Amino acid sequence: MAIGVSTPRLENREKVTGRILYTINLELPGMLHARVLRSPIAHGRVRRIDADRAEALPGVRCVLTRDDLRRGDIDPYFGPVIRDQPILAIDKVRYAGDAVAAVAADTEQIAEEALRLIDVEYEELTPLLDPLDATRESAPLIHESLHPAEVGYADIKSMHIASGRRNSAGHFKLRRGDVEAGFRAAAVVVEDEYYVPAVQHAALEPHAVLAQVHADGRIEVWSCTQNPSVVREQLASVFRTPLSLVRVVAPYVGGGYGAKTYAKLEPLAVALARKAERPVRLIASREDVFYIVARHAVRTRLKTGVAADGRLVARQAELFFDKGAYADIGPRTSKNGGYSSGGPYLIPNLRLDSYAIYTNKTPGGAYRGFGVPQVCWAYEQQMDQIAERLGVDPLELRLRNVLGEGDAFATGEILHAVPIREALLRAAEAIRWSEPPAAASHRARGKGLACMIKSTMTPTVSSATVKMEEDGSATVLTGTVEIGQGSDTVLAQMAADVLAVPVGRIHVVHSDTAVTPYDQSTSSSRSTFSMGNAVRQAAGEVRDQLVALAAHQLEIAPQDVALADGYAFPKGAPARRVAYAQIFRGHFGMGVGSLMGRGLFKTDGGLDPETGQGKASAFWFSGAGACEVEVDTETGAVTVLKYVGVVNAGKVINPLLAKGQIEGSIVCALGHTFFEEMVYREGALVNPNFMDYRLPTAYETPRELEVILLEDGHRDGPYGAIGVGEPAVAPVAPAVANALARATGVRILDLPITPEKVLAGLRERPLAGTGREGRR
Amino acid sequence: MAIGVSTPRLENREKVTGRILYTINLELPGMLHARVLRSPIAHGRVRRIDADRAEALPGVRCVLTRDDLRRGDIDPYFGPVIRDQPILAIDKVRYAGDAVAAVAADTEQIAEEALRLIDVEYEELTPLLDPLDATRESAPLIHESLHPAEVGYADIKSMHIASGRRNSAGHFKLRRGDVEAGFRAAAVVVEDEYYVPAVQHAALEPHAVLAQVHADGRIEVWSCTQNPSVVREQLASVFRTPLSLVRVVAPYVGGGYGAKTYAKLEPLAVALARKAERPVRLIASREDVFYIVARHAVRTRLKTGVAADGRLVARQAELFFDKGAYADIGPRTSKNGGYSSGGPYLIPNLRLDSYAIYTNKTPGGAYRGFGVPQVCWAYEQQMDQIAERLGVDPLELRLRNVLGEGDAFATGEILHAVPIREALLRAAEAIRWSEPPAAASHRARGKGLACMIKSTMTPTVSSATVKMEEDGSATVLTGTVEIGQGSDTVLAQMAADVLAVPVGRIHVVHSDTAVTPYDQSTSSSRSTFSMGNAVRQAAGEVRDQLVALAAHQLEIAPQDVALADGYAFPKGAPARRVAYAQIFRGHFGMGVGSLMGRGLFKTDGGLDPETGQGKASAFWFSGAGACEVEVDTETGAVTVLKYVGVVNAGKVINPLLAKGQIEGSIVCALGHTFFEEMVYREGALVNPNFMDYRLPTAYETPRELEVILLEDGHRDGPYGAIGVGEPAVAPVAPAVANALARATGVRILDLPITPEKVLAGLRERPLAGTGREGRR
């Protein structure tokens, strides 16, 4: 049995010996190196670009500017929802860091030097740095016109991009029940505003692309992308090439967390390779990465009405996603944040509005949790604020309202396999919720908890092929990207289980659009569920063929054939076993050949654009977190003594990998909780590097970090499994904030929770057992 | 309609711009360069190898010797039929050129220099340079023991490798009727001995391998091989690794003609990469190539009994294939030559023996025609000798005996689609057979003809996958190697036809064992037939799915759906058409996804080892050639004034490519006819380079070169097609020899036909209209 076993990652040895190849390691004969010139100003018209001196520099092979993009032979704009992002600035620059020109040269150093020889003349425009400013009638338009993407995302196209607000890149609305009536009926109404700043994904591997355009126009791209199929569609659209002639390969990817979804540097690298008629490798510097994509800053206005018995009766939410300069997948992120802002609670009356508003900053894109951590930061603090107002225990308040099996979600759909109640109880138990924290001089302690619910990408498509060789070993062809999450291993485990061979005899070929069948994306924690189903189905097709051949050879009925460990035998008579290799020999002329199986998994869904009612998700992630914190009341420093993350996995395919993902989620979220923030001054990002932008280290990891995996199986999941990559992120910051408030009375509503903010809060109010109201 | 159209090769632009990548162009990060030390002696024991000085040379990263191969962790012997070839010499060297040691270094120059620092001490043994010497009882054994290969070729394993003769590597025998009775009943018996020397394949691209062994033991190899699947099996066997963990990729290959079938340098390159823990690229020098493989020299003893009316009644043949030092695929080549030595004629009584005998020379392997050109050289001259003896026209004699539809071949199987009679008549007509050649002073002219029949690899397996993308473009995944023959184009034409899309929307992914399903080999002119069937089937599966989805969308029955040019519509109502992309959108959640189709084509066959009766071939190649030559009776120079090659294609998929292949075959065979020969002196090859080993140039190409393609369709062929790569080769040399004999009376029985041999023949007999007996 290969399922439920902590199989070591298949690529372990390759990784620890340093021999594995990432995109940045790839080389092609005659390859050039590229660098990108970025705008120093946040908003302006491009008056003139003079690249003559750069082109004359020895070793420079190609300088690309807007002149190369306006010839009509390509469409220079791309974007998965709105085609608003030019490969290089054409008429305007829209943020400090916007790409203006690029150079391909014999070395990266020459390319870098050439950038300094490009003269660009700008006419500065007023930069819009806050969504609320950007929606004002007097604000300039960042995009004068918008065009929807040609491919995919039909559900987004039906959304109102135009919200009636200026500089809108999306407006999701959900209407359920009668919110005004709900508020009127409520005993208590709590209202507040919460803020989460833009943060970086900080994958160790920067964005990197190796592009080649063949003499016949065929495009080949190696990229550390999370969704090669979508990038292929985007490149096909930009370069007007049939999909079959665009190949996108994702080698092993060194982390993504959403930053590597949808086209980023790929169109630029291809445009350079096309002009240079040479392969071009473009590796982002760390500073570049800060300009490529960020997690959306979100401002959430949340108002909740509660009955005297603690039941939530109404909620109104207004979310402002700071889109940055280009839409990227933001309209969909803000939609996801929108319908999730009711939280994992039964609230009969909802009025949720989520706006994505263009600003002159680094574009916001997908990030682990896809809009949910930002709204969870709001709704889970508000739950504690309500509990405080009502004088009930925060756990008790949650248990009174939490959604469960068979309940309707905000979108109206019926939930299944969402053990949030159990998650809360397990988290509370692990943190000894009912026991008061130990007190110490100048060291206030408190416990806090939070829970969450999240959708997955819906509708969605995954497909896979399985090929069994004549020695019974097998290859899985999957579009899933091995991004460090262990997907190769988990999918191999499933194939091994179905085919009844050891995992070591399975090889996984991942994410090469020329050869792996379609997969939508390695994101949204969807691979174990969607691709797992596709792989099981594909392996099942091979198994069926194998069983039929074995039945023929054993002269028994197919239903009487058993498979185990590379052998087929009559059920109950393992001594009569025949090796798979022998079955192949019996079938194929010379004992050689392969058996092929196909798998396709797809889900339907969609929401009504006026009411947000319908089906948002094929399944739901859920989980909870709880922690105990210690606050140094002299410095404001907050230490997490213990953190417990509880996640429903449906079924744990590989305990080691699942726990690793959740531990990673928690540590990642502690960074957001305590210090990560992209800081802008006068439109310019001031900390685009890992000296000024801090990441959590082992030092900030709680000494006690406990992971609890629930196995409330989903009826559509492979072995009941869903995914575990994201649900542990969202509860971390609100659980810590709730613990801080319970320890000190200080409620921080805007992330990160810095010692300065804590100290300021402590100065406003003397040390108290519980906080009452927030500080912003 | 994509079939029967001269679609330009898909890779044309890549090739003519020089941007295409062959194996020799590939690079991997950290790649080392390798060179091979080869034995200077033809036969000897290896006493001592001292590599210390080589290992100490700066820049040398790995020296590989027998010490690395005898540790028991790998099986150092390989071979597709007999595991007789060590990766490097272990106990003995068996020919001058046998690989003894190899070096991987930072540059090829350093590796070359290091070779000179390796000291090897040999104990010389008597070299065996002729098969007849090697079979003597007193001859030393070249191989003390033999082990059959583990994979494939079950039909060969059942052959008598041991023929009762010493140094045997194979003995094929065919027994049909009563040969002695046949000879007794014959009016005329003609007997002679014919010889064809070893020649080189002379592919422009030398053998090249780029090998990488991952930290987890996984093997990746890029090689200019013709049969990656078989090389994968051989590597899996040598390195004891599951097939799924051995990946063999064949990039575009610069010609093979059989030289690149089965493992050649691949095991050595992998062994180097494994020891060096770095990628290793091994490119053979032109001299190396002469030591890797050759076309077998063959001596044929042929005795034919003929009735007074010209009907052939009995034949006895003894073939001696000069195997060289290792078996390679020779036992199968000699088997093919064996059952083909009856020729394309109805002969009721046959006794055919074909021996493969080890000698101390470059191993013989597959070469265009696979043993048939050597025996055709014999039997087609003997036909003219018989005609002369009987005083009948050589064409007439052939037409009286030639096999046709429904006739039994020597193996007993019934022939189909073998229009040899038509081929002879078309060739004769084109050469104006009935008109006597013009005479000129000192310039004798004559016309000659020859015909042939040849089997294809049987049993055999080909499989393919077709993947249609959401814009209706499609990818064909095929194990067929694009070796210059145009297979990508022809397979794309078939897929385009089935899918009803333009050929330009088809991309072909070829020959990567990790992703392309099993294909046995790109050889034996089998791809159009076998892989064509597999591709059509795979495309058909996609078409069926597409039609079903279109029927659903159009609300009609599937059988009422028509497809054309990327659209589906109700038959007779093209105005109601829907684009494939629209059909995808209707089916997949977000309009994205791929449709997969699988194709598997396999044939059965096999011959009884005692009688050679059974089924030798899934289909039969046939053709004829005719020429007019002019002989300078003062210099002995023979000029081919006109050559006509006739080949049955079954159905011509791409006229341009088919004609190109046949023209290439003819020019190639003219090289063998007039000057190609590997010359040995005292066991050493004296002309291992293109200065001393001449190849035909445009100068030797006949001014009139006519290609006639017949379309006698095969019931099992895709559109009736078979293959055209080989059948034009075999008739060339005997047709020229027959023309020479008819012009001068000089009959040359041993190739090549040099001016010296012609002059010597002319001196023996004065100029005459027809020759009577041969000269050897």
Side-chain angles (χ1 to χ4, degrees):
Chain A
M1 184 66 175
I3 304 302
V5 177
S6 288
T7 303
R9 273 166 210 269
L10 302 184
E11 69 280 12
N12 259 356
R13 292 181 66 90
E14 282 286 283
K15 282 192 170 163
V16 299
T17 56
R19 285 165 65 180
I20 208 161
L21 295 181
Y22 293 95
T23 303
I24 57 166
N25 305 119
L26 300 182
E27 296 168 10
L28 280 176
M31 179 180 89
L32 302 176
H33 303 262
R35 300 291 299 136
V36 182
L37 182 70
R38 297 185 176 277
S39 169
I41 66 169
H43 197 190
R45 294 197 190 286
V46 180
R47 282 278 171 234
R48 193 179 56 86
I49 304 181
D50 182 351
D52 289 355
R53 286 195 306 149
E55 276 171 343
L57 186 69
V60 169
R61 302 292 169 183
C62 166
V63 180
L64 197 79
T65 67
R66 59 185 183 180
D67 293 342
D68 301 299
L69 308 176
R70 295 191 289 195
R71 301 224 164 86
D73 54 339
I74 66 168
D75 173 357
Y77 290 93
F78 65 98
V81 183
I82 304 170
R83 279 185 5 270
D84 61 0
Q85 185 160 5
I87 293 174
L88 292 170
I90 290 184
D91 51 345
K92 292 173 75 174
V93 288
R94 295 187 176 84
Y95 67 108
D98 209 353
V100 175
V103 175
D106 291 345
T107 70
E108 214 170 43
Q109 290 68 28
I110 295 172
E112 185 73 40
E113 199 184 328
L115 295 186
R116 287 192 289 269
L117 301 178
I118 301 172
D119 294 321
V120 187
E121 194 184 306
Y122 300 99
E123 174 197 339
E124 290 205 40
L125 297 171
T126 309
L128 299 170
L129 302 170
D130 185 280
L132 298 182
D133 293 339
T135 55
R136 290 209 184 99
E137 274 312 304
S138 61
L141 281 175
I142 294 175
H143 293 272
E144 280 78 8
S145 63
L146 292 177
H147 306 280
E150 284 177 22
V151 288
Y153 307 101
D155 60 329
I156 289 293
K157 277 193 243 172
S158 66
M159 284 172 50
H160 293 263
I161 297 293
S163 59
R165 291 178 189 255
R166 213 162 163 78
N167 284 310
S168 172
H171 174 204
F172 171 80
K173 49 188 176 181
L174 187 145
R175 306 288 180 261
R176 188 173 171 83
D178 182 339
V179 173
E180 293 313 323
F183 283 128
R184 281 194 300 272
V188 173
V189 173
V190 176
E191 184 170 7
D192 224 323
E193 192 172 309
Y194 310 82
Y195 181 71
V196 173
V199 297
Q200 265 292 301
H201 305 70
L204 271 186
E205 181 196 34
H207 295 75
V209 188
L210 171 58
Q212 179 170 32
V213 179
H214 292 274
D216 55 8
R218 196 160 53 86
I219 295 169
E220 285 190 293
V221 165
W222 290 259
S223 171
C224 55
T225 175
Q226 295 179 237
N227 49 10
S229 292
V230 177
V231 170
R232 182 180 61 158
E233 287 160 0
Q234 295 186 268
L235 292 174
S237 169
V238 167
F239 296 100
R240 295 174 181 159
T241 303
L243 286 171
S244 63
L245 303 186
V246 181
R247 179 188 180 201
V248 180
V249 185
Y252 289 102
V253 174
Y257 316 110
K260 294 167 179 171
T261 47
Y262 312 101
K264 294 287 187 286
L265 295 180
E266 293 88 350
L268 176 55
V270 171
L272 278 166
R274 188 168 174 266
K275 185 177 181 190
E277 298 187 359
R278 295 263 291 271
V280 170
R281 195 175 70 189
L282 172 54
I283 302 176
S285 68
R286 182 53 63 184
E287 182 171 351
D288 282 328
V289 176
F290 277 82
Y291 298 127
I292 292 171
V293 66
R295 184 170 85 171
H296 294 90
V298 180
R299 188 171 300 282
T300 302
R301 292 177 183 158
L302 207 61
K303 178 180 172 187
T304 309
V306 193
D309 63 357
R311 283 181 302 102
L312 310 185
V313 290
R315 172 165 291 174
Q316 181 168 320
E318 264 193 328
L319 282 54
F320 293 90
F321 278 69
D322 183 343
K323 191 59 255 89
Y326 299 109
D328 196 274
I329 197 61
R332 199 169 161 83
T333 321
S334 53
K335 171 188 173 191
N336 203 50
Y339 61 67
S340 302
S341 57
Y345 302 112
L346 246 178
I347 311 176
N349 304 296
L350 292 166
R351 180 184 179 87
L352 312 175
D353 287 274
S354 184
Y355 302 96
I357 307 294
Y358 285 118
T359 61
N360 294 111
K361 296 200 277 193
T362 293
Y367 192 155
R368 212 168 190 173
F370 208 58
V372 170
Q374 294 101 315
V375 298
C376 187
W377 169 248
Y379 68 67
E380 280 302 88
Q381 290 212 69
Q382 192 153 92
M383 284 304 276
D384 267 39
Q385 292 171 301
I386 293 165
E388 191 189 351
R389 282 279 288 279
L390 294 176
V392 302
D393 180 85
L395 172 62
E396 179 52 32
L397 178 70
R398 285 177 173 83
L399 294 176
R400 243 175 252 178
N401 289 284
V402 78
L403 290 162
E405 185 78 23
D407 286 334
F409 186 64
T411 52
E413 65 205 276
I414 301 303
L415 295 170
H416 163 59
V418 286
I420 309 170
R421 173 178 298 275
E422 188 188 351
L424 281 165
L425 289 170
R426 293 288 297 275
E429 181 192 5
I431 206 78
R432 300 182 182 201
W433 179 255
S434 52
E435 297 175 17
S441 167
H442 301 300
R443 303 271 176 177
R445 287 191 179 183
K447 295 178 184 178
L449 45 71
C451 58
M452 60 79 68
I453 190 165
K454 182 188 173 290
S455 65
T456 188
M457 184 180 278
T458 303
T460 199
V461 177
S462 284
S463 39
T465 311
V466 169
K467 176 160 82 91
M468 182 174 270
E469 315 298 352
E470 62 261 30
D471 66 349
S473 66
T475 303
V476 175
L477 282 84
T478 167
T480 296
V481 177
E482 175 50 81
I483 196 164
Q485 84 283 46
S487 57
D488 279 7
T489 309
V490 164
L491 297 174
Q493 286 178 266
M494 293 190 194
D497 177 66
V498 175
L499 299 171
V501 297
V503 176
R505 294 178 73 78
I506 306 285
H507 176 55
V508 180
V509 171
H510 53 235
S511 48
D512 173 347
T513 61
V515 303
T516 52
Y518 192 90
D519 179 51
Q520 199 156 11
S521 186
T522 299
S523 59
S524 202
S525 309
R526 63 184 288 284
S527 300
T528 299
F529 182 86
S530 293
M531 188 53 80
N533 274 316
V535 166
R536 284 187 80 203
Q537 191 185 331
E541 272 201 18
V542 171
R543 185 188 172 104
D544 289 349
Q545 295 170 64
L546 198 60
V547 164
L549 295 173
H552 181 75
Q553 201 155 324
L554 290 164
E555 299 181 332
I556 58 176
Q559 61 271 25
D560 296 331
V561 175
L563 303 182
D565 207 26
Y567 291 87
F569 50 88
K571 279 175 186 166
R576 284 186 57 203
R577 72 185 192 171
V578 290
Y580 291 176
Q582 211 175 323
I583 298 170
F584 272 78
R585 271 196 290 278
H587 177 56
F588 289 103
M590 294 176 118
V592 292
S594 45
L595 295 180
M596 303 287 295
R598 299 161 302 179
L600 167 65
F601 181 79
K602 62 192 181 81
T603 62
D604 296 324
L607 299 179
D608 177 79
E610 293 304 319
T611 64
Q613 299 297 290
K615 180 181 172 188
S617 193
F619 65 90
W620 292 84
F621 302 107
S622 60
C627 65
E628 180 172 354
V629 303
E630 184 176 81
V631 186
D632 185 324
T633 52
E634 293 189 332
T635 65
V638 179
T639 305
V640 179
L641 300 173
K642 175 169 183 169
Y643 190 92
V644 182
V646 188
V647 164
N648 180 35
K651 165 75 186 176
V652 182
I653 307 296
N654 185 316
L656 185 70
L657 294 179
K659 286 203 172 187
Q661 281 214 44
I662 292 164
E663 288 173 357
S665 294
I666 293 166
V667 175
C668 166
L670 286 170
H672 310 153
T673 303
F674 288 116
F675 34 74
E676 289 187 52
E677 179 173 15
M678 287 171 69
V679 180
Y680 284 86
R681 297 249 165 77
E682 292 170 13
L685 182 63
V686 298
N687 59 344
N689 59 71
F690 284 165
M691 294 299 290
D692 299 315
Y693 182 98
R694 264 194 75 200
L695 291 171
T697 66
Y699 186 78
E700 281 89 9
T701 304
R703 256 167 304 174
E704 281 192 79
L705 182 56
E706 190 176 339
V707 171
I708 297 172
L709 289 160
L710 305 182
E711 290 194 319
D712 189 352
H714 194 284
R715 58 183 162 242
D716 298 329
Y719 310 94
I722 55 173
V724 297
E726 294 172 291
V729 171
V732 174
V736 169
N738 287 339
L740 169 67
R742 287 162 54 87
T744 63
V746 176
R747 184 158 293 281
I748 309 284
L749 299 181
D750 54 338
L751 278 175
I753 301 172
T754 61
E756 293 81 356
K757 291 181 193 169
V758 174
L759 264 190
L762 287 169
R763 280 189 204 117
E764 278 178 29
R765 71 189 61 240
L767 188 62
T770 49
R772 275 189 311 275
E773 276 175 23
R775 175 204 160 272
R776 303 203 348 267
Chain B
M1 184 68 173
I3 303 301
V5 177
S6 288
T7 304
R9 273 166 209 269
L10 303 184
E11 69 280 11
N12 260 357
R13 292 181 66 90
E14 281 286 282
K15 282 192 171 164
V16 298
T17 56
R19 286 165 64 181
I20 208 160
L21 295 181
Y22 293 94
T23 303
I24 57 167
N25 306 118
L26 301 181
E27 295 167 11
L28 279 176
M31 180 179 87
L32 302 176
H33 303 262
R35 300 291 300 136
V36 182
L37 182 71
R38 295 184 176 277
S39 169
I41 67 167
H43 197 191
R45 292 196 193 287
V46 181
R47 283 278 172 232
R48 195 179 55 86
I49 304 180
D50 182 352
D52 289 355
R53 287 197 303 149
E55 276 171 342
L57 185 70
V60 169
R61 303 292 170 183
C62 166
V63 180
L64 197 80
T65 67
R66 59 185 183 179
D67 293 342
D68 301 299
L69 308 176
R70 295 191 290 194
R71 303 223 164 88
D73 55 338
I74 65 168
D75 174 358
Y77 290 93
F78 65 98
V81 183
I82 304 171
R83 282 189 357 274
D84 60 359
Q85 184 159 7
I87 293 174
L88 292 171
I90 291 185
D91 51 346
K92 292 172 75 176
V93 288
R94 295 187 176 84
Y95 66 108
D98 210 353
V100 175
V103 175
D106 291 345
T107 69
E108 214 170 44
Q109 289 68 29
I110 295 172
E112 185 74 40
E113 199 184 329
L115 294 186
R116 287 191 287 270
L117 302 177
I118 300 172
D119 293 319
V120 187
E121 194 183 305
Y122 300 98
E123 175 197 338
E124 290 205 39
L125 298 171
T126 309
L128 299 170
L129 303 170
D130 185 277
L132 298 182
D133 293 338
T135 56
R136 289 208 185 100
E137 273 313 304
S138 61
L141 282 175
I142 294 175
H143 294 271
E144 279 77 9
S145 63
L146 292 175
H147 305 281
E150 285 178 22
V151 289
Y153 306 104
D155 59 330
I156 289 292
K157 277 193 245 172
S158 66
M159 284 172 51
H160 294 262
I161 297 292
S163 60
R165 291 176 189 255
R166 214 162 162 78
N167 284 310
S168 171
H171 174 206
F172 171 79
K173 50 189 177 182
L174 187 144
R175 305 289 180 262
R176 189 172 170 84
D178 182 338
V179 173
E180 293 313 321
F183 284 127
R184 282 193 300 272
V188 174
V189 173
V190 176
E191 184 172 7
D192 224 324
E193 192 173 308
Y194 308 82
Y195 181 71
V196 173
V199 297
Q200 265 292 301
H201 305 71
L204 271 187
E205 181 196 34
H207 295 76
V209 188
L210 171 58
Q212 181 170 32
V213 179
H214 293 274
D216 54 8
R218 197 160 52 86
I219 296 168
E220 285 190 293
V221 164
W222 290 259
S223 171
C224 54
T225 175
Q226 295 179 239
N227 48 11
S229 292
V230 177
V231 170
R232 182 180 61 158
E233 287 161 0
Q234 296 186 269
L235 293 174
S237 169
V238 167
F239 296 100
R240 294 173 182 160
T241 303
L243 286 171
S244 63
L245 303 185
V246 181
R247 179 189 181 201
V248 179
V249 185
Y252 289 102
V253 174
Y257 316 110
K260 293 166 180 172
T261 47
Y262 312 101
K264 295 285 188 285
L265 295 180
E266 294 88 351
L268 176 54
V270 171
L272 278 165
R274 189 168 173 265
K275 184 177 180 188
E277 298 186 359
R278 296 263 291 270
V280 170
R281 195 175 69 188
L282 172 55
I283 302 176
S285 68
R286 182 53 63 185
E287 182 170 351
D288 282 327
V289 177
F290 277 81
Y291 297 129
I292 292 171
V293 66
R295 184 170 85 171
H296 295 89
V298 181
R299 189 171 300 281
T300 303
R301 291 176 183 158
L302 207 62
K303 179 180 170 187
T304 308
V306 194
D309 62 357
R311 283 182 301 100
L312 309 185
V313 290
R315 172 165 291 175
Q316 181 169 318
E318 265 193 329
L319 281 57
F320 294 90
F321 278 70
D322 184 343
K323 192 58 255 88
Y326 299 108
D328 196 275
I329 197 62
R332 201 171 159 83
T333 320
S334 53
K335 171 188 172 190
N336 202 51
Y339 61 66
S340 300
S341 57
Y345 303 113
L346 246 177
I347 311 178
N349 305 296
L350 292 165
R351 180 184 178 89
L352 312 176
D353 288 274
S354 184
Y355 302 96
I357 307 293
Y358 285 118
T359 61
N360 293 112
K361 295 199 277 193
T362 293
Y367 191 154
R368 211 168 192 173
F370 207 61
V372 170
Q374 295 100 315
V375 298
C376 186
W377 169 247
Y379 68 65
E380 282 301 89
Q381 289 214 70
Q382 193 155 91
M383 285 304 277
D384 267 40
Q385 292 172 300
I386 293 166
E388 190 189 350
R389 281 281 288 278
L390 293 174
V392 303
D393 180 86
L395 173 62
E396 179 53 32
L397 178 70
R398 286 177 172 83
L399 294 176
R400 242 176 253 179
N401 289 285
V402 77
L403 291 162
E405 186 78 21
D407 286 335
F409 187 64
T411 52
E413 65 204 276
I414 301 305
L415 294 170
H416 162 61
V418 285
I420 310 169
R421 172 178 298 275
E422 187 187 350
L424 280 166
L425 289 169
R426 292 288 296 275
E429 180 192 6
I431 205 78
R432 300 184 182 199
W433 180 256
S434 53
E435 297 175 16
S441 167
H442 301 299
R443 305 268 175 180
R445 288 193 178 182
K447 296 177 183 177
L449 45 71
C451 58
M452 60 77 69
I453 189 165
K454 184 190 171 288
S455 65
T456 187
M457 185 180 277
T458 303
T460 200
V461 177
S462 283
S463 39
T465 311
V466 168
K467 177 160 82 91
M468 181 174 269
E469 316 298 354
E470 62 260 29
D471 67 347
S473 66
T475 303
V476 175
L477 282 85
T478 166
T480 295
V481 177
E482 175 50 81
I483 196 163
Q485 84 283 45
S487 56
D488 280 6
T489 309
V490 163
L491 296 174
Q493 286 178 266
M494 292 190 195
D497 177 65
V498 174
L499 299 172
V501 297
V503 177
R505 294 179 73 78
I506 306 286
H507 175 55
V508 179
V509 171
H510 53 237
S511 47
D512 174 346
T513 62
V515 302
T516 52
Y518 191 91
D519 179 52
Q520 198 154 11
S521 187
T522 299
S523 60
S524 202
S525 309
R526 62 184 289 285
S527 301
T528 299
F529 181 86
S530 293
M531 188 54 81
N533 274 316
V535 166
R536 283 186 82 203
Q537 192 185 331
E541 271 201 19
V542 171
R543 184 186 172 106
D544 289 349
Q545 296 170 64
L546 198 61
V547 163
L549 296 172
H552 180 77
Q553 201 156 325
L554 291 165
E555 298 180 333
I556 57 177
Q559 62 270 24
D560 296 329
V561 174
L563 303 182
D565 207 28
Y567 291 86
F569 50 89
K571 280 175 184 166
R576 283 186 57 204
R577 71 184 193 173
V578 289
Y580 292 176
Q582 211 174 324
I583 298 171
F584 272 78
R585 271 197 289 277
H587 177 56
F588 289 103
M590 294 176 117
V592 292
S594 46
L595 294 180
M596 302 287 294
R598 299 162 301 179
L600 167 65
F601 181 78
K602 63 192 181 81
T603 61
D604 296 323
L607 299 179
D608 177 77
E610 293 305 318
T611 64
Q613 299 297 292
K615 180 181 173 189
S617 193
F619 65 90
W620 293 84
F621 302 107
S622 59
C627 64
E628 180 172 354
V629 303
E630 183 175 79
V631 186
D632 185 324
T633 54
E634 292 189 335
T635 65
V638 178
T639 304
V640 178
L641 300 174
K642 175 168 184 168
Y643 189 92
V644 182
V646 188
V647 164
N648 180 36
K651 165 75 186 177
V652 182
I653 307 295
N654 186 314
L656 185 70
L657 294 179
K659 286 202 174 190
Q661 282 214 43
I662 292 164
E663 288 172 356
S665 294
I666 293 166
V667 175
C668 165
L670 287 170
H672 311 152
T673 304
F674 288 117
F675 33 75
E676 290 186 52
E677 179 173 14
M678 286 170 72
V679 180
Y680 285 86
R681 297 249 165 78
E682 292 170 13
L685 182 63
V686 299
N687 59 343
N689 59 72
F690 284 165
M691 292 300 289
D692 300 314
Y693 182 99
R694 265 193 73 199
L695 290 171
T697 67
Y699 185 79
E700 281 88 9
T701 303
R703 257 167 304 174
E704 283 192 76
L705 182 55
E706 189 175 339
V707 171
I708 297 172
L709 289 160
L710 306 181
E711 291 194 318
D712 188 352
H714 194 286
R715 59 183 161 241
D716 297 329
Y719 311 94
I722 54 173
V724 297
E726 294 173 291
V729 171
V732 174
V736 169
N738 287 337
L740 168 67
R742 286 162 55 87
T744 64
V746 175
R747 183 158 294 280
I748 309 283
L749 300 181
D750 54 336
L751 279 175
I753 301 171
T754 60
E756 293 81 356
K757 291 180 192 171
V758 174
L759 265 191
L762 287 169
R763 282 191 202 114
E764 277 177 31
R765 74 187 62 239
L767 187 62
T770 50
R772 274 187 313 276
E773 277 174 22
R775 175 203 162 273
R776 305 200 346 265

